[in-house]
Amino acid sequence: MPTKLYSSIFPSIFFLSLIFLFLYSTFLPLYTNNDSSSLPTNKFLPSSSPPCNLFKGHWVLNSTKGKPFYDDTCPFHRNAWNCLKNKRDNMGIINSWKWVPKDCKLERVDPWRFLGLMRNRNIGFVGDSLNENFLVSFLCILRVADEGAKKWKKKGAWRGAYFPKYNVTVAYHRAVLLAKYKWNPKQSVVSDEDELKGIYRVDVDILADEWSSIADFYHVLVFNTGHWWGYDKFPKETPLVFYRHGRPISPPLGLLDGFKVVLENMVHHIQKEVPKNTLKFWRLQSPRHFYGGDWNQNGSCLFDRPLEEEQVSVNIFYPFFNCNFKFGLV
């Protein structure tokens, strides 16, 4: 009798064990407390066979879009930039555009899986409003997976959030030029013929304070700069003047040359001082999208569709259009 009982129960136990092992191996990556010192790049970047380039593709109007992840009540919105709350025209059409890579499938972001993969890790964004705008939307999406998310502004962060369910911090550090810069008013009042009101001193070899002490905190860092490097931000009355080792660079650098030197110094610092196992990305910039004038000339953002390919080169911000850098951060 015991032999018959054993022979009838054993197959069931064996079968249940296989199911358990399958479920365990499937969900383990999402819930395992991985060693944060090891962050393999290929774990987070999309993969396919054969490899594809996610940046080559086109925008399509998606009539079967899924339910939005968030609405105008997301606490991480900036009121002045909350297009949903401020009733921006054509938001339905704008949110219906979908990027479709040429030779691969790009799935919709999964906040639960993403935070599961990033458990016990931190993600930092450093740069100008391009990174900030992305961060705000990103935080609102991730909040779906952890409604207990709290605002986080430490270590010099301009804004951010902590997700306690996963022990993940995502934050933005505002450093529009990446390098340290400060306003120096004009000292001499003997002559005002040159209309110079003062200068913005840029120390090309010194980091902006907002991100000078974050290298050991973040496991992923995303850098950008670009839109502030223009004469609309720093006209001849209030120009950028570049310093190295505490002294003005001689001969003086123009805006574009100063931009190159700052980038070279910042990238050198990142490669030297940021831990090698930190995953680092460098974002470029978006084309200008103002209609009827620039941002400071009563321009407005009336577009409800992406720029066509031939329009991009006309609206691109000139420093990156004329520069070719190999940063090697990823």
Side-chain angles (χ1 to χ4, degrees):
M1 183 70 178
T3 303
K4 291 183 178 181
L5 180 63
Y6 177 81
S7 61
S8 63
I9 293 177
F10 179 76
S12 299
I13 294 176
F14 181 73
F15 180 72
L16 290 173
S17 298
L18 289 177
I19 294 177
F20 173 78
L21 288 173
F22 172 77
L23 294 175
Y24 180 79
S25 62
T26 300
F27 294 104
L28 180 63
L30 301 184
Y31 299 100
T32 299
N33 291 333
N34 297 313
D35 177 11
S36 61
S37 64
S38 177
L39 192 59
T41 302
N42 60 2
K43 184 175 183 179
F44 299 97
L45 297 179
S47 61
S48 63
S49 182
C52 63
N53 185 348
L54 294 176
F55 303 100
K56 286 189 176 182
H58 60 283
W59 292 97
V60 298
L61 201 57
N62 184 16
S63 59
T64 59
K65 63 177 181 177
K67 180 182 178 182
F69 280 115
Y70 60 90
D71 56 23
D72 61 356
T73 63
C74 175
F76 302 118
H77 276 302
R78 286 181 64 180
N79 287 333
W81 292 0
N82 189 338
C83 295
L84 296 171
K85 185 176 181 179
N86 295 326
K87 308 298 181 184
R88 188 202 191 282
D89 293 339
N90 300 322
M91 282 302 297
I93 296 177
I94 293 172
N95 286 331
S96 296
W97 288 99
K98 178 182 179 181
W99 177 254
V100 179
K102 183 179 179 181
D103 296 315
C104 53
K105 187 176 181 181
L106 181 61
E107 300 288 349
R108 193 184 192 200
V109 63
D110 184 337
W112 295 273
R113 184 168 184 267
F114 181 87
L115 285 174
L117 289 170
M118 293 304 302
R119 185 182 297 275
N120 299 326
R121 296 187 175 103
N122 305 314
I123 308 169
F125 293 82
V126 181
D128 58 30
S129 60
L130 184 68
N131 263 350
E132 182 181 8
N133 292 343
F134 176 85
L135 176 100
V136 170
S137 179
F138 193 39
L139 295 181
C140 290
I141 291 174
L142 295 181
R143 180 175 174 266
V144 175
D146 187 355
E147 294 185 354
K150 304 175 182 178
K151 291 183 178 181
W152 189 91
K153 294 180 67 175
K154 299 179 181 179
K155 296 185 176 292
W158 182 262
R159 62 178 63 250
Y162 173 67
F163 299 87
K165 186 176 178 180
Y166 299 88
N167 190 31
V168 171
T169 298
V170 184
Y172 162 70
H173 297 256
R174 187 176 187 271
V176 297
L177 302 183
L178 295 183
K180 184 175 182 178
Y181 81 103
K182 65 178 181 179
W183 168 247
N184 287 346
K186 184 176 180 178
Q187 301 297 321
S188 174
V189 294
V190 176
S191 174
D192 289 325
E193 292 181 1
D194 57 3
E195 299 180 355
L196 184 69
K197 299 177 181 178
I199 66 166
Y200 283 95
R201 168 176 169 168
V202 182
D203 288 277
V204 300
D205 51 355
I206 301 178
L207 308 184
D209 293 339
E210 290 78 6
W211 71 285
S212 61
S213 60
I214 66 172
D216 295 328
F217 180 72
Y218 292 108
H219 303 88
V220 179
L221 281 168
V222 183
F223 298 93
N224 95 291
T225 186
H227 283 292
W228 279 67
W229 292 89
Y231 293 106
D232 55 336
K233 298 286 189 180
F234 301 103
K236 63 180 182 179
E237 297 85 5
T238 55
L240 297 178
V241 177
F242 300 94
Y243 283 64
R244 181 188 284 119
H245 306 312
R247 296 183 177 182
I249 295 178
S250 183
L253 299 177
L255 186 68
L256 182 55
D257 289 332
F259 170 76
K260 293 179 180 179
V261 173
V262 166
L263 284 188
E264 290 167 356
N265 279 270
M266 296 301 104
V267 170
H268 175 74
H269 172 86
I270 293 168
Q271 292 173 330
K272 181 180 179 181
E273 301 296 336
V274 177
K276 292 185 178 180
N277 57 0
T278 299
L279 189 58
K280 300 171 281 287
F281 293 94
W282 191 275
R283 296 186 68 194
L284 295 183
Q285 46 125 17
S286 64
R288 293 188 180 276
H289 48 266
F290 294 100
Y291 178 83
D294 214 334
W295 67 274
N296 58 348
Q297 300 173 340
N298 296 319
S300 58
C301 303
L302 297 178
F303 295 116
D304 57 10
R305 61 184 61 247
L307 294 176
E308 299 293 338
E309 187 172 351
E310 60 271 13
Q311 295 176 296
V312 172
S313 61
V314 178
N315 292 276
I316 201 73
F317 183 52
Y318 73 89
F320 279 117
F321 190 59
N322 291 304
C323 295
N324 181 21
F325 288 94
K326 293 184 179 179
F327 297 110
L329 295 187
V330 178

